[in-house]
Amino acid sequence: MLIRPWQTGDEHLVEAAQRNLSPRSIDRRFLAGSGGRLPAFYLRHLAAGPRPEWDAQVAVAGGELCGWAEYGRRPAASPAADLAVLVADPWQRTGLATALIRALVHRMIAAGVRTIQADVSGANQASNGLIRALAGPDQSPSYEDGLLRYTFDLSLVPPVPAPIPAKAFG
Ligand SMILES: CC(C)(COP(=O)(O)OP(=O)(O)OC[C@H]1O[C@@H](n2cnc3c(N)ncnc32)[C@H](O)[C@@H]1OP(=O)(O)O)[C@@H](O)C(=O)NCCC(=O)NCCS
């Protein structure tokens, strides 16, 4: 499993990765009914590549994209960024989201990000559990527009790549 920064052309890996993404996972990522496909606007957004407003970290195995974590912010120099992650179904619960986010943290710090925001559905146990596992069990989100909004300091997330557990390698 290779965890590396986003490279131009990775949008094609994302398109191919859809065969390993359940509609449930896509719906949870985009907080909306997706019809089982990644939204077209999102694929266009990815194709624009890394830029001050957006960057990502990807996990690749055998030429397949297993998951990616990304941050986005406006304006481009904002110290607060939204964080999102999507792990393809066969690799979920193997520590991959944790490893991706930890690998992204030092790049976010270098880019001037200090605060992470994440909006998640209260019904999404996986993402609520992930945030608490990363930022600490005392995280208490606010309630915004029907979603839970977590806001926490980037320094709470250990900025070192977590070792990927052996179960990730099957
Ligand atoms: C949420 C998501 C990114 C988690 O990815 P993952 O690689 O499975 O997460 P990890 O294996 O790193 O799990 C880290 C911790 O998160 C929590 N967690 C992860 N999945 C969980 C689940 N299904 N139920 C409860 N807790 C869960 C656990 O505390 C876990 O630690 P543990 O395995 O030692 O108990 C993944 O389920 C996913 O892509 N879901 C669809 C998209 C989405 O909801 N994205 C988040 C909103 S942007």
Side-chain angles (χ1 to χ4, degrees):
M1 180 79 65
L2 173 66
I3 293 185
R4 61 159 173 77
W6 182 277
Q7 295 173 356
T8 301
D10 282 346
E11 63 273 18
H12 303 301
L13 293 182
V14 169
E15 289 196 49
Q18 292 185 91
R19 64 172 166 262
N20 288 320
L21 294 171
S22 65
R24 184 171 184 253
S25 288
I26 298 175
D27 291 356
R28 288 188 157 183
R29 164 64 183 85
F30 292 97
L31 302 165
S34 62
R37 302 290 297 172
L38 293 168
F41 76 82
Y42 178 67
L43 294 173
R44 286 195 297 274
H45 163 73
L46 295 184
R51 49 203 185 274
E53 293 90 345
W54 179 87
D55 207 346
Q57 197 80 15
V58 303
V60 184
E64 284 202 290
L65 198 62
C66 311
W68 63 101
E70 60 190 293
Y71 72 88
R73 57 181 172 165
R74 283 196 184 203
S78 170
D82 281 327
L83 179 71
V85 57
L86 182 50
V87 172
D89 290 61
W91 291 280
Q92 287 181 7
R93 211 66 196 264
T94 64
L96 194 49
T98 304
L100 281 163
I101 292 168
R102 286 186 170 173
L104 188 58
V105 159
H106 71 274
R107 299 179 54 225
M108 294 174 76
I109 291 171
V113 178
R114 296 292 175 265
T115 306
I116 288 178
Q117 292 174 338
D119 292 333
V120 302
S121 160
N124 189 342
Q125 288 187 348
S127 54
N128 283 284
L130 173 66
I131 290 169
R132 290 202 163 91
L134 279 168
D138 298 334
Q139 288 302 312
S140 73
S142 59
Y143 191 65
E144 312 257 350
D145 297 327
L147 296 170
L148 300 181
R149 168 163 290 185
Y150 290 89
T151 304
F152 55 92
D153 198 293
L154 200 54
S155 64
L156 289 176
V157 183
V160 290
I164 300 176
K167 59 183 176 174
F169 298 94

